[in-house]
Amino acid sequence: MLSQDAIQKIDREIAKYPAEQKQSAVMAALAIAQMEKGWLSTETIEAVAGHLGMAPVAVYEVASFYNMYDLAPVGKVKITVCTNLPCALSGGVHAADYLKQKLGIGFNETTPDGRFTLKEGECMGACGDAPVLLVNNVRMCSFMQPEQIDRLLGECQ
Amino acid sequence: MAKIEIDGKQVEIENGRTVIEAAHLAGIYIPHFCYHKKLSIAANCRMCLVQVEKAPKPLPACATPVTDGMKVFTASEQAVKAQKGVMEFLLINHPLDCPVCDKGGECELQDLAVGYGSSASRYQEEKRMVVPKEVGPLISTKEMSRCINCTRCVRFGQEIGGIMELGQAFRGEHAEIMSFVSNSVDSELSGNMIDLCPVGALTSKPFRFTARAWELSHRRSVSPHDSLGSNLTVQVKNNRVMRVLPAENEEINECWLSDKDRFSYEGLNSGERLTKPMIKQNGAWQEVEWQAALEYAAKGLRQIADGAGAEHIGALATPHSTLEELYLLQKLVRSVGSDNVDFRLRQSDFSADGKQAGAPWLGMPIAEINTRDRILLVGSFLRKDHPLLAHRARDAVKKGAQASIVHSADDDLLMNVANKAIVAPDAMANVLAQILKALAAEKQAVVEASVQSAEVGSAAAAIAKSLASGERVAVLLGNFAQQHPQAAQLQVLGQQIAALCGGKFGFLGEAANSVGGHLAKALPRANGMNAAAMLAAPRKAYILLNVEAELDTHNPQQALVAMKAADLVVALSAYKHQATDYADVLLPIAPFSETSGTFVNTEGRVQSFKGAIKPLGEARPGWKVLRVLGNLLNETGFEYDTSEAVRDEALSGVDVAAQLNNAVQGVALETAGAGSGSLQRVSDVPIYSADAIVRRAASLQNTRDAEAPCALMHGAELSRLGVHAGEQVKVSQGEGSAILVAAADDRLPQGVVRVAAGHAATAGLGAMFGAVTVEPITGGRA
């Protein structure tokens, strides 16, 4: 299911915790699995659960709780816009609307060319930089006015 | 100890306990939903907010530990305001349509909303909707929109059931309880989640919308299934059992119930119930009056006793029969001069008979299982045979006990098993001898020569090492060990192992009245025949009490031959079953819900119960039928007015505690290893095939545990036979055979095939143990 390489990386994470608390590595393991597979299918979740000795539904709880985990296939570039209160007050909703209009898609949708997916995110802990968005779970972009958004989309084309 | 004050009342309680526990001690009720005394603390419903002196905000009573001098106010203005606020939030997404909810009338949310909710909702917006998911035939999640996310069901799975099948996925207002990709909930304890649900989100599928809580009258009873003797509340409407819930008894079932105990009531209302006495005349069954049927049976028995001799009469009963029935059955048989009576229908080794010091029992109180630090299970499908004893063992393991198992199958026990010796049935005695030898070496004790000759393997050595280091050891023999052809050997070895570590030795009794049968003396004395002998050497007449010959016996093939050859078979049964093929008289008797009676559970606890409802149709309590049969046979001593009189006679002068004794003397050990070379059968009695009632419980029969039996083999065994998993095979044993689907289970030892007993699909086969042949069906391949 998972490649040897991914298993090795997961084992490295597991090693950071006491042997009887393997499940502490679940978030890292899911991230590694998602990195390899692109998204977390039922089978991938089962594979992670099996490797960590957890109930599949317990892994699913984690995978469905955090929105950096994708339970369905996403485009090459996943843009997650924060719409929580501080961002919303400082233009987060406008940023999201601008993205929707530019990409021609709504939240949780992917452009027909499979390039962009738009997601609504929860607070990223950078309210002072609002509006913020996250690209592919790792790249944080601050002060995203239309101009900056255009530049970002340009880069990602 | 901490001294605290709750609403002006002084309470003293150990440090580390919580405010809600202290309040409970003081008899003060604090409203709550997510808190449950048997589950871990979640503190997510917030309903139990109370005011604590010097705390700036209300605190959740379930998660606030007591401290000395603490002053708590559960009904102060601040507390009530907080509780009312929480209630308003809980009701925001909860549908306000109690009249159409199955839980209405017994709902914790509904009850508390009366006290803390307001008369109208301020919330005008759209409510949350949850799409119901399918989780199997027992639990309905149709009303999942009613869920208040207390997570009691999730915690039950993790902490009590041992398997997390429900989880809370997504978050915030999208959070919902679900199983993983619509898997069914298969735990044998799943029904408890319905009880735990404080709202109507999880409901009982068989019960839904069949009655209202306030229409039901509650009757106490005792479970007739496994040997735990769970206490029941049988709920009745219009003389019909509508559902069964647990009656709390901390020493037995705590507040839980296995699904078998909970849902088997459907079998009581089965269409297969026998409601009129019947006689077979010229090959055709006729319904007759009780008098005619009883006279026919009495006359037949009298003729055989006077003609061929009383020793040609045999009586067989299931260990699910009541003490009173078993007592009267043996009294009846003995009064006509026969000693052939037995209830140990699935036992095959009777070599300990007469050498046994008393009735085999658990060897300790049930609650002591939780306190053991070493448990050795010998031959037990623990989870399926004793679901709640398995929970207690799991609890012990969670607290640090080491469990070891010697068995012929390696089913998941949902707990950490430290050491396993999974071997073919004929090697089990040898493994125990190895453990005994290794243990004796550790303890510097002397063992007899036959044990000394065993060669200690690594698994046995590890088990011995684990046992030797224990302080509170228990060696427990399960159903499989009791049905084993070397049961007496296993008993002697188990006993010696327990003795060497100063531990307890016991039997996980097979059925509700396995101990009661011994107390009722429903087994042969010196010159009588035991169950196996009565079937091996067919008798002219049989009296069957609750017995389905092809399902309840060790060797169904032999049993059917014996039944068909008999001149007279009198079947006392609650159901119209296969006996129509071989019986001559069918007498409808009442199941446990319709008769008074007594079960003695595996710890020797005598539990009497009254009938919950009147017998169906013309069925009558078994003890009455046997009493009248005794009268008709002109025997004296059958003048009983009540079942209590029968019980008192059966137990008069009997010190039950003194009767319980697992010691056996004078059984010579023969512990030579395996070596038959042929394929051996390993049989389990599937959880929902174990007795007549549960076999007819429709919803339980739709669960995964009730799926048709397969021929399970190790993968290597399959390839040796040239069979692929999923193909049909012919399993033959003695004269008979069965066509089953082959399946792979690499946890089984090689050289065995696991084929369930007690099931119609395998009733054509022979003994539960012994040689079998498996052949591929050519042409049957896909």
Side-chain angles (χ1 to χ4, degrees), chain A residues 84-118:
Chain A
N84 281 183
L85 189 62
C87 271
L89 292 173
S90 314
V93 177
H94 297 304
D97 286 345
Y98 186 71
L99 272 165
K100 283 182 194 167
Q101 177 238 317
K102 279 293 268 196
L103 298 173
I105 53 173
F107 282 134
N108 299 316
E109 287 176 2
T110 303
T111 51
D113 61 358
R115 185 133 206 102
F116 291 100
T117 298
L118 193 59

Side-chain angles (χ1 to χ4, degrees), chain B residues 238 252 255 274 287 306 560 647 702 717 729 776:
Chain B
N238 298 337
I252 301 176
C255 53
L274 181 64
E287 291 185 350
D306 293 347
L560 274 186
R647 178 196 66 200
N702 289 328
E717 203 66 54
V729 288

Side-chain angles (χ1 to χ4, degrees), chain B residues 675-728:
Chain B
S676 64
S678 62
L679 207 52
Q680 295 176 52
R681 179 171 175 188
V682 167
S683 302
D684 57 317
V685 180
I687 179 167
Y688 302 135
S689 300
D691 61 74
I693 298 174
V694 76
R695 284 196 277 261
R696 292 170 177 82
S699 300
L700 290 176
Q701 292 307 322
N702 289 328
T703 60
R704 284 182 78 171
D705 276 327
E707 279 175 2
C710 296
L712 283 163
M713 279 167 280
H714 191 280
E717 203 66 54
L718 280 177
S719 43
R720 197 168 308 144
L721 291 164
V723 179
H724 296 106
E727 288 176 355
Q728 288 197 321

Side-chain angles (χ1 to χ4, degrees), chain A residues 42 46 56-57 61 64-65 122, chain B residues 164 167-171 180-181:
Chain A
T42 304
E46 272 170 347
V57 70
E61 282 185 336
S64 62
F65 186 92
E122 308 289 332
Chain B
M164 186 177 170
Q168 188 182 40
F170 307 108
R171 72 163 154 190
F180 185 57
V181 286

Side-chain angles (χ1 to χ4, degrees), chain A residues 66-68 78-88 92 95-96 99 107 117-144, chain B residues 171:
Chain A
Y66 296 103
N67 55 12
M68 69 259 204
K78 184 177 89 170
I79 300 176
T80 313
V81 191
C82 175
T83 54
N84 281 183
L85 189 62
C87 271
L99 272 165
F107 282 134
T117 298
L118 193 59
K119 293 248 171 188
E120 192 172 16
E122 308 289 332
C123 182
M124 294 160 193
C127 309
D129 295 359
V132 294
L133 55 81
L134 202 55
V135 179
N136 283 344
N137 299 327
V138 287
R139 186 176 154 205
M140 175 77 131
C141 306
S142 304
F143 307 110
M144 297 307 280
Chain B
R171 72 163 154 190

Side-chain angles (χ1 to χ4, degrees), chain B residues 383-591:
Chain B
R383 256 179 75 200
K384 301 299 170 187
D385 290 341
H386 305 96
L388 283 171
L389 290 178
H391 147 62
R392 286 186 182 271
R394 201 147 49 223
D395 183 51
V397 170
K398 220 175 254 178
K399 288 191 267 188
Q402 289 179 10
S404 306
I405 186 164
V406 176
H407 196 17
S408 297
D410 186 16
D411 292 355
D412 191 353
L413 291 173
L414 301 181
M415 59 184 175
N416 283 327
V417 179
N419 305 291
K420 292 175 182 175
I422 306 298
V423 296
D426 64 0
M428 275 176 66
N430 188 264
V431 170
L432 288 188
Q434 294 173 28
I435 296 171
L436 182 57
K437 183 180 166 187
L439 194 61
E442 295 249 2
K443 300 266 179 190
Q444 283 151 4
V446 189
V447 288
E448 50 190 279
S450 60
V451 173
Q452 209 58 48
S453 64
E455 272 182 54
V456 180
S458 59
I463 292 173
K465 198 156 179 248
S466 156
L467 292 177
S469 60
E471 284 173 5
R472 298 176 305 281
V473 178
V475 179
L476 297 169
L477 264 56
N479 294 5
F480 186 78
Q482 293 163 54
Q483 293 151 359
H484 195 281
Q486 289 174 295
Q489 301 285 324
L490 300 179
Q491 181 179 356
V492 174
L493 288 162
Q495 189 184 325
Q496 293 186 7
I497 290 171
L500 266 187
C501 11
K504 303 266 168 106
F505 169 71
F507 290 91
L508 299 161
E510 193 188 336
N513 222 2
S514 289
V515 174
H518 285 269
L519 299 181
K521 304 180 193 73
L523 61 178
R525 295 194 196 116
N527 54 1
M529 293 170 111
N530 58 48
M534 265 186 261
L535 296 172
R539 304 288 89 198
K540 287 202 185 316
Y542 288 100
I543 307 173
L544 302 180
L545 177 58
N546 290 318
V547 179
E548 294 181 71
E550 74 286 6
L551 300 175
D552 288 320
T553 53
H554 187 80
N555 187 334
Q557 227 169 53
Q558 207 176 50
L560 274 186
V561 169
M563 291 304 139
K564 286 186 176 148
D567 294 341
L568 176 70
V569 175
V570 180
L572 285 75
S573 168
Y575 298 97
K576 205 187 276 182
H577 55 79
Q578 236 12 63
T580 46
D581 285 355
Y582 52 74
D584 301 279
V585 189
L586 283 173
L587 302 175
I589 60 167

